[in-house]
Amino acid sequence: MGWNDSGDQQNPWKQGGEKGPPDLDAVVKDLQRKLTGLFGGGGTGGGRGGPTGLGGSFVAAVLVGLLAVWALLGFYKIDDAERGVVLRFGEFNRVSMPGLRWRVPWPVEALEKVNVTKREEFSYNTRMLTGDENIVAIDLIVQYYRSDPEAYLFNVRDPQDTLRDVTQSAIRETVGKSDLDFVLTTGRAEIAERTRELIQSTMDTYQSGLTIFQVNLQKANFPSQVEASVQDAVKAREDRDRLSLEAQAYANDILPRARGTAVRMIQEAEAYREQVVADAQGDVNRFEKILAEYEKAPQVTRQRLYLETLEAVMANSTKVVLDSKGEGNLIYLPLDRLMEGRRNDGGAASRSDMSGSRALPQDTSDRGANRLSLRSRERGDRP
C-alpha cells in the first residue's frame, strides 16, 4: 500500500494540506537565516537573490574556508632524527614517530619537536683539590643527547643547568678521591670514565631523559701561580725515584756477586778441607804400613828410612862427595851430566813444590856426606 492510499495522517510529505517533498530552497534559506542571525545579520524578509541571502552565503563560505584552513594546520612532519611530543590542552598525550602526521590544531593540541640523535656538548673548567691536598686545574667537555623526549620535557625544569651542576659535583668527587700524580699522568682516561658513569647515574635518578655519550678530560694541570714550584717538586720527586732505581740496580749487581763469592770461598774451603783430610789419611795409612814393617825389622827399616831421607835431602845439592881413602885410582866424574841431571831434578822438584807437595829443607851436613861415603864403600869402591 502506498503512502497516497494510507490517509493524511500517515503521509510524511504532507504539510498544510498539500502533498509533495519539502522545498529545498526553503531549507537553505532557513539555514542562511540562522547563520545570519548568529553573526549579527539583520532582516527577516528578502527573497531569492536578495541582499540578505547573498551575505549569508558569503559568511558560510568564509566559515567553511576557515574551518578547512584550521584543519590543514594540524598536519606536521617529523624528521628521522626527531620525535614529536603532542600536548592536548597542555598535558602529554603521545609521542609521534618520523613521518607526516596530523593533530588537532591549536588550541586543542600543541606540538614539541625534540632531536634525539644530535650530539650536544658543553665545556666545564674549574680548580679543585686532589686527594693528597694539591690544587689542580681541570678542563673537561661533556657530550650528551636527548634519548627520552617525554622525560626531557616534563621531568626536569632545566635539563642543561641540571647537567652542569651534576657534572661539577661528579668531577669534584672523582678528583677528590685521586692523587695528583694519578690525575696528571696515567689516570686521565679512568677519571673521565668514572665521571661519566657518575653523571649518568645521577641523571638517571632524576629521570632527565639525557644520555651522557662521552666525557673528555681536555686538560689537567697546575694553576699558573704555583706551576714553577710544583715543577720543582715534581723534578725532585723524579730525581728521588731515579736515584732509588740506580741504588736498587747497584744492589742487584753487588749482592748476587757477593753471594757468588761467598759460595765459591765456601766450596774452596770445603775442597781444601777434603784435601787436607785425604792427605792426612794417606800419611796415616803410609805410616801404619811403615810401622808394620818396622815392627818386623826395626834395624833394617830405620836404616832404610835414614838413607831415603838423606837421598831426598842431597838430591838438590851441588856438592860432590868422594871417599878420601881411595889411593892409586883415577876417578872420572862426568860433571856436565851430573850438573844437567841435577838441574832437571831441581826443576822437577820446584814444580813439585809449586804443586803443593812438601819438601824437606836442603841440608848438606857432614853426617850425610859420611853416610854417602859409607854407601860407596859398601858397594865395593875400593882401591
Side-chain angles (χ1 to χ4, degrees):
M1 179 175 65
W3 283 341
N4 295 331
D5 299 336
S6 60
D8 294 338
Q9 297 179 354
Q10 298 180 355
N11 187 358
W13 304 110
K14 184 176 180 181
Q15 295 180 359
E18 296 182 358
K19 297 181 180 180
D23 191 358
L24 183 60
D25 292 338
V27 174
V28 172
K29 289 180 180 180
D30 185 59
L31 179 61
Q32 290 177 353
R33 186 169 54 254
K34 291 180 180 180
L35 291 175
T36 302
L38 180 63
F39 290 96
T44 57
R48 296 179 181 178
T52 304
L54 290 176
S57 300
F58 177 76
V59 171
V62 170
L63 292 176
V64 171
L66 292 176
L67 182 63
V69 172
W70 181 76
L72 290 175
L73 291 177
F75 288 97
Y76 61 94
K77 181 181 179 182
I78 302 297
D79 295 334
D80 293 337
E82 297 177 339
R83 296 293 183 270
V85 179
V86 179
L87 309 177
R88 180 171 294 175
F89 298 111
E91 183 182 4
F92 172 78
N93 182 261
R94 65 186 180 274
V95 175
S96 299
M97 302 303 292
L100 183 63
R101 306 293 177 181
W102 185 84
R103 61 178 175 83
V104 180
W106 185 88
V108 180
E109 291 182 349
L111 175 66
E112 292 284 348
K113 293 182 179 180
V114 179
N115 194 318
V116 295
T117 61
K118 181 181 178 181
R119 298 291 193 273
E120 297 189 8
E121 65 180 35
F122 71 92
S123 60
Y124 177 76
N125 49 22
T126 185
R127 297 177 183 177
M128 60 192 68
L129 288 176
T130 60
D132 51 357
E133 299 182 355
N134 288 308
I135 299 178
V136 62
I138 297 294
D139 185 7
L140 56 85
I141 295 178
V142 179
Q143 298 180 354
Y144 66 95
Y145 63 92
R146 305 174 182 90
S147 58
D148 189 345
E150 179 185 357
Y152 173 75
L153 290 176
F154 296 102
N155 292 342
V156 180
R157 182 184 299 273
D158 195 336
Q160 280 78 11
D161 289 345
T162 303
L163 178 59
R164 186 176 295 274
D165 295 339
V166 171
T167 300
Q168 178 181 1
S169 175
I171 189 62
R172 287 185 181 276
E173 178 179 347
T174 305
V175 174
K177 294 180 179 179
S178 304
D179 294 337
L180 179 64
D181 292 341
F182 182 74
V183 175
L184 298 180
T185 55
T186 61
R188 293 196 175 189
E190 184 176 348
I191 288 176
E193 181 61 24
R194 285 161 52 185
T195 303
R196 188 198 67 81
E197 294 176 355
L198 188 56
I199 295 173
Q200 186 65 65
S201 175
T202 306
M203 298 303 290
D204 290 343
T205 303
Y206 295 158
Q207 297 181 357
S208 63
L210 297 179
T211 297
I212 310 305
F213 176 69
Q214 190 175 8
V215 174
N216 295 325
L217 188 60
Q218 296 291 99
K219 183 180 70 173
N221 205 345
F222 311 104
S224 58
Q225 295 83 353
V226 298
E227 184 175 0
S229 300
V230 175
Q231 291 294 342
D232 292 340
V234 171
K235 184 178 180 181
R237 186 163 47 250
E238 291 177 352
D239 292 340
R240 180 197 64 187
D241 296 340
R242 177 178 57 81
L243 294 175
S244 176
L245 292 176
E246 291 178 357
Q248 187 65 35
Y250 179 74
N252 293 336
D253 179 58
I254 291 297
L255 291 179
R257 187 176 301 177
R259 293 191 186 100
T261 303
V263 172
R264 178 176 57 82
M265 294 178 66
I266 292 173
Q267 292 178 350
E268 290 178 353
E270 292 178 351
Y272 178 73
R273 181 190 64 184
E274 296 294 334
Q275 179 183 358
V276 171
V277 172
D279 292 343
Q281 291 177 352
D283 293 340
V284 170
N285 294 331
R286 182 172 57 85
F287 180 77
E288 290 178 349
K289 293 180 180 179
I290 294 175
L291 179 60
E293 297 297 330
Y294 179 78
E295 291 176 349
K296 293 178 181 179
Q299 184 64 30
V300 176
T301 305
R302 187 183 300 111
Q303 187 72 19
R304 183 174 60 83
L305 290 174
Y306 181 76
L307 294 177
E308 290 178 354
T309 302
L310 285 180
E311 184 179 0
V313 171
M314 302 302 294
N316 297 325
S317 178
T318 59
K319 293 182 179 181
V320 179
V321 181
L322 298 177
D323 189 1
S324 61
K325 295 180 179 180
E327 296 178 357
N329 292 327
L330 179 62
I331 300 176
Y332 172 72
L333 295 177
L335 295 178
D336 54 349
R337 295 183 181 180
L338 290 175
M339 296 302 295
E340 182 180 357
R342 290 186 179 184
R343 282 196 299 269
N344 294 334
D345 293 342
S350 62
R351 286 194 298 271
S352 64
D353 291 341
M354 292 176 62
S355 63
S357 63
R358 294 179 298 172
L360 294 176
Q362 297 180 0
D363 186 11
T364 56
S365 61
D366 294 339
R367 187 176 60 179
N370 294 331
R371 188 56 186 167
L372 288 177
S373 300
L374 179 61
R375 292 185 63 185
S376 299
R377 289 195 299 270
E378 288 177 353
R379 286 195 298 267
D381 297 335
R382 294 183 177 84

